[in-house]
Amino acid sequence: MFSVSHIFQFTASFFEVVSLNRVGGSTPFVTLDYGTFLGAQDGNLTSFLGIPFADSPVGDLRFRLPVPPPQLEGVQRAVSFGAACPQHALSPLPGMNFTGKYTKVSEDCLAINIIRPSFKLVPGRNLPVLVYFHGGGFEIGDATETRMNDIIDRSVHSGEPLMVVVPNYRLNGLGFLAGKEVKEAGVSNLGLQDQRFALQWVQKYISSFGGDPDRVTISGVSAGAVSVAMHLVSLDGNPNGLFHSAFMLSGGPLRLPSVLDGQSEYDLIVSETNCSAERDTLSCLRRVPLDQIMAAINKTRDIFSYSSLNLAWQPRVDGDLLRREPYESLVQGLYAKVPSIAGTCDDEGTLFSLANLNITTDEAFSEYISSNYLKGTTSAEISDVLRAYPRDPTKG
């Protein structure tokens, strides 16, 4: 059986590889127009971690669209993951802990991470790029949640090497605040806007790392897969050259509320942070200390509360990035016509039912789905659902 080193040597010779630019003999570095970044090599893998792709969204930049990072002086060490974006506190589940063990959590979290085999193809043969959006219900998670090294090793084994790019994006109320004030300011769906900004960064800079900007696949699991679906239908399905294929696992084009439907959460946060008396409540929220605004966000429902996947924080139809219900975009053909794969993890839904174990009767189930997911439906339509999902699953 061939070892990883044998496969790597064969692949290297086959593609006539040349070394990355190096400082000090073995340390890879890349110079971009806003800074020089020193990466790390570990065996057959080279990584550049924690590179800022946007300015820090704190202070006056909180609740604003992403903007380019500032000019960075000197050589920047890109050898460890950056801070995780602030995380929503989840309702406890018996015997389970979904709190990430992050070295640092900060609003200064819009960093991108590049992992690739330790070789660069000759000009014209750069590596295809897999951009991965992490999951976490749009409430938790960061770029460290999934080991990308295994994917790259597998690609080298198969003789089809690729590089993986994983960006962070704003989460929960910091990334998906909604309401009329948000709509009027044009700052809805900031988490998706961060992802899109990261894709623009990839188009501009990934060739400096040996990646091919004309072969970018966007991918993700759970909320990451939903994100991919949102990019497929955003802007009437125009990808603007940011990606060329898509992969979704356990997520897709959901039914979305409008940005105006998030007013109750907005008002709660304004009230909890003592911004109610301000004429411009959004500006007030930009000045609130992070711990105070997160304490308010943590009072909203989460993925393991009774409402489960009826999320407080998620993408919303805003008439701008997402112009209509995703299903309507699909029916009208207004989606990106790129090769796509979609799949689902087996029995994944069980996890999200653990907070609702007290729903044991048809009456309780009817109330739950009508109040949480099917608002405005008729009793006859609810009856149809009950027939499709009877108390005894063997009869369904």
Side-chain angles (χ1 to χ4, degrees), residues 154-218:
R154 185 75 171 265
S155 76
V156 172
H157 266 293
S158 69
E160 299 285 348
L162 55 77
M163 75 164 48
V164 177
V165 176
V166 189
N168 275 351
Y169 57 96
R170 283 172 281 183
L171 303 166
N172 49 71
L174 294 176
F176 294 93
L177 193 68
K180 66 179 187 302
E181 294 85 353
V182 172
K183 181 175 177 59
E184 290 169 358
V187 293
S188 57
N189 291 316
L190 290 177
L192 292 181
Q193 296 284 6
D194 291 343
Q195 295 174 2
R196 189 172 182 83
F197 205 73
L199 291 173
Q200 293 169 351
W201 187 96
V202 167
Q203 286 300 306
K204 186 173 182 178
Y205 297 116
I206 203 62
S207 59
S208 297
F209 297 86
D212 186 349
D214 292 325
R215 291 190 292 167
V216 174
T217 299
I218 55 175

Side-chain angles (χ1 to χ4, degrees), residues 81-145:
F81 288 98
C85 292
Q87 309 281 300
H88 197 300
L90 301 183
S91 301
L93 290 179
M96 298 185 184
N97 181 12
F98 292 90
T99 302
K101 298 179 179 179
Y102 308 115
T103 304
K104 184 180 180 182
V105 175
S106 170
E107 282 188 275
D108 187 7
C109 61
L110 296 185
I112 202 163
N113 308 278
I114 300 97
I115 308 170
R116 49 150 298 155
S118 293
F119 58 82
K120 179 182 178 181
L121 305 182
V122 294
R125 295 182 181 175
N126 280 4
L127 296 171
V129 180
L130 181 73
V131 178
Y132 179 83
F133 301 126
H134 70 78
F138 300 107
E139 297 174 357
I140 62 169
D142 87 325
T144 65
E145 294 296 318

Side-chain angles (χ1 to χ4, degrees), residues 30-69:
V30 168
T31 297
L32 308 180
D33 58 13
Y34 65 95
T36 296
F37 300 92
L38 213 60
Q41 183 174 340
D42 181 10
N44 292 334
L45 297 177
T46 294
S47 61
F48 292 86
L49 306 177
I51 296 177
F53 68 87
D55 203 353
S56 176
V58 300
D60 193 53
L61 291 181
R62 182 191 285 168
F63 300 127
R64 292 194 188 277
L65 296 173
V67 296

